[in-house]
Amino acid sequence: MRPTVAIIGRPNVGKSTLFNRMVGKRLALVDDQPGVTRDRREGDGELLGIEFRIIDTAGFEDEDPASLPGRMRAQTEAAVREADVALFMIDARAGVTPLDEEVARWLRSSGTPIVLLANKAEGRAAEPGIHEAMALGLGDPVPFSAEHGEGIADLFEALLPYIDRTDEGEGEDPDAPDAPLKLAVVGRPNAGKSTLINKLLGQDRLITGPEAGITRDSIAVEWLWADADGNQRPVRLIDTAGMRKRAKVQEKLEKLSVADALRAVDFAEVVVLLLDATKGLEVQDLKIADKVLQEGRALVIALNKWDVAENQSSLFNGVKGALDEGLAQVKGVPLLTVSAATGKGLDTLIRVAFETRDAWSRRVSTGQLNRWFERALEANPPPAPGGKRIKPRYVTQAKTRPPSFILFGTRVDLLPASYQRYLINGLRREFDFGAVPVRLTMRPSRNPFDRD
């Protein structure tokens, strides 16, 4: 395991900016508004050649444990407990505040090694704050600028005793059968996404509550699922912010959160669209599903809160019919019933997700493809629009994830959409692709002497 570094501090001192700099990309949302980060977010960090796991935490606030800020604080405390070293960040320009002093007292008693980081230290305005930080009893502060990257060498030197370990892990092959299943959970606000992931993990890893829209960042958590044979299979669970109708998304921060959720879909292999069974299927759900399929991701739909749903049989049939009608490009997307509160149906959900990834990753030999292709042409010859013959010659699979095929021949770009659907549906049935996206590209002959 790589060593773990947790970033701690009161709200708006620059923790997420430092996290983004360490992981080398804008994974955490950053805004001038304090309290943007709520769940603890993990990433693979790197500092001058040393690699480690880094955790961005919510701003430390002194609030009732039952309140949302109080639950955020509990997540921060858990991150410190599991870290090899904690980076305690203060705002050097603002100086040491009473809350900084409280956090420092708690950190001194935590048993976790602490590196004191004086952020926003560029310029003379930060000098008094740096001197004040020496009184916190955590050693000399490291002057730093997360925004500009100043002080990297000093930070490296301070962290080196805790993070300099040899990591001999091999690179991850996404096509390997034992590679982690990248599973994103998406849906409207308050559908139960974080509750579902917490139930799978068996711990309150993500903050939940009656308030809609608690999750802002897309949070990835590593987990092992035991299949029916008792094998431990790795899963990377990705929780995302709730996606509301575009017209209702007004705040800048919520727009960033929704964009972050859409990026999480790009990184996923299988996406679970979680519906609230007490509210049924809405147009926004179909839009989210369509977006997932357009991105070429495998889709599984789960009706959550099934334990409290009324008229279950008619509800299930109604949702299934609406999905078949609303997702015309893909028929038969898996529709499951689950309860994130009780755990019912979650094991089936993960099993179906693995099966769906298998179909999404399936490769078919050119020989098998063209034997099917000849039968398909014989059973239903292509039309001749405008009296011009279309002569499909052969088909080959260009790639997997999603399965993508190229059809070569004369004037195949003139094949009507209905005939292309006939071929795609035939591919699905013959090679058991199920409801994963299947793409078919037409590649017409460019030979100017090919007139037949």
Side-chain angles (χ1 to χ4, degrees):
M1 293 291 292
R2 293 182 178 183
T4 299
V5 179
I7 308 174
I8 312 297
R10 59 182 175 80
N12 219 29
V13 294
K15 298 184 297 298
S16 293
T17 302
L18 175 62
F19 176 87
N20 286 342
R21 180 170 289 280
M22 293 282 203
V23 299
K25 57 186 78 170
R26 290 180 61 86
L27 285 181
L29 301 186
V30 177
D31 193 75
D32 293 335
Q33 174 184 335
V36 171
T37 301
R38 287 176 171 173
D39 287 294
R40 64 187 196 267
R41 181 186 191 101
E42 301 177 10
D44 294 326
E46 188 269 339
L47 188 63
L48 301 182
I50 299 292
E51 298 180 342
F52 47 90
R53 187 169 67 107
I54 188 159
I55 305 176
D56 183 24
T57 66
F60 199 96
E61 298 187 61
D62 186 15
E63 297 283 350
D64 178 1
S67 67
L68 178 57
R71 301 198 299 275
M72 291 158 58
R73 174 171 170 166
Q75 291 289 316
T76 298
E77 292 172 347
V80 171
R81 284 195 299 272
E82 66 182 63
D84 294 287
V85 58
L87 274 173
F88 174 34
M89 182 181 282
I90 67 162
D91 183 338
R93 292 185 180 181
V96 174
T97 69
L99 184 53
D100 288 328
E101 293 174 344
E102 181 190 341
V103 178
R105 280 194 296 274
W106 168 68
L107 287 173
R108 286 198 301 270
S109 64
S110 68
T112 300
I114 308 298
V115 171
L116 179 59
L117 194 63
N119 192 34
K120 307 180 186 179
E122 63 274 23
R124 291 187 176 179
E127 290 179 3
I130 295 172
H131 293 307
E132 286 178 21
M134 294 179 181
L136 291 173
L138 295 170
D140 291 344
V142 177
F144 192 78
S145 171
E147 186 172 355
H148 302 293
E150 296 176 11
I152 286 284
D154 292 333
L155 176 58
F156 172 80
E157 188 174 333
L159 283 176
L160 191 61
Y162 311 105
I163 62 175
D164 186 12
R165 298 185 194 165
T166 302
D167 181 13
E168 311 227 338
E170 294 294 323
E172 185 180 294
D173 178 6
D175 291 320
D178 58 348
L181 167 66
K182 300 181 181 71
L183 184 68
V185 184
V186 303
R188 287 179 283 128
N190 231 19
K193 299 180 292 295
S194 298
T195 302
L196 184 146
I197 291 179
N198 281 344
K199 193 69 177 179
L200 290 172
L201 297 174
Q203 59 174 293
D204 291 335
R205 172 62 179 80
L206 302 169
I207 300 172
T208 61
E211 308 94 337
I214 289 177
T215 301
R216 285 174 172 168
D217 287 300
S218 296
I219 306 297
V221 184
E222 306 294 335
W223 175 60
L224 287 173
W225 172 68
D227 64 16
D229 298 323
N231 298 314
Q232 298 279 308
R233 306 192 65 180
V235 181
R236 184 168 298 146
L237 295 165
I238 308 168
D239 187 24
T240 64
M243 291 189 260
R244 296 196 296 168
K245 293 179 182 176
R246 186 184 296 269
K248 291 185 178 180
V249 179
Q250 300 294 340
E251 292 184 16
K252 171 191 171 187
L253 195 52
E254 187 173 358
K255 290 179 181 177
L256 288 171
S257 295
V258 172
D260 196 45
L262 293 175
R263 280 197 299 274
V265 169
D266 292 340
F267 287 107
E269 297 169 329
V270 180
V271 177
V272 174
L273 172 56
L274 201 63
L275 309 181
D276 185 337
T278 65
K279 296 180 180 177
L281 183 73
E282 296 189 0
V283 173
Q284 176 67 358
D285 296 316
L286 288 173
K287 288 183 177 178
I288 296 172
D290 187 62
K291 173 68 176 176
V292 171
L293 294 171
Q294 284 180 20
E295 292 298 322
R297 299 299 172 261
L299 177 65
V300 176
I301 299 178
L303 275 164
N304 189 29
K305 307 181 186 179
W306 195 247
D307 52 317
V308 294
E310 298 178 355
N311 303 316
Q312 292 180 340
S313 179
S314 59
L315 171 64
F316 185 88
N317 291 330
V319 170
K320 188 169 181 58
L323 287 171
D324 286 342
E325 183 178 339
L327 300 177
Q329 74 272 41
V330 175
K331 297 287 187 184
V333 171
L335 176 63
L336 308 174
T337 58
V338 301
S339 169
T342 68
K344 186 174 177 60
L346 298 190
D347 204 53
T348 300
L349 175 64
I350 301 300
R351 176 178 55 78
V352 169
F354 269 103
E355 292 171 353
T356 303
R357 183 180 71 166
D358 289 344
W360 187 66
S361 307
R362 183 166 295 129
R363 180 171 290 281
V364 183
S365 73
T366 301
Q368 285 179 296
L369 272 175
N370 285 288
R371 285 191 291 274
W372 158 80
F373 187 50
E374 289 173 7
R375 295 195 301 271
L377 294 181
E378 187 177 338
N380 184 11
K388 293 184 176 180
R389 290 180 62 200
I390 297 175
K391 293 185 66 176
R393 301 192 184 280
Y394 68 97
V395 63
T396 188
Q397 185 169 2
K399 69 183 192 73
T400 62
R401 307 162 71 87
S404 302
F405 302 87
I406 300 175
L407 174 60
F408 294 87
T410 305
R411 302 189 188 93
V412 289
D413 52 331
L414 300 179
L415 279 173
S418 58
Y419 196 82
Q420 293 183 36
R421 281 196 300 273
Y422 161 72
L423 293 175
I424 289 174
N425 290 335
L427 281 167
R428 287 187 190 284
R429 286 191 304 272
E430 181 74 14
F431 302 109
D432 197 24
F433 284 116
V436 302
V438 173
R439 293 176 172 167
L440 181 63
T441 302
M442 307 300 140
R443 188 70 56 83
S445 167
R446 296 302 178 194
N447 185 350
F449 301 103
D450 192 354
R451 301 293 186 189
D452 53 9

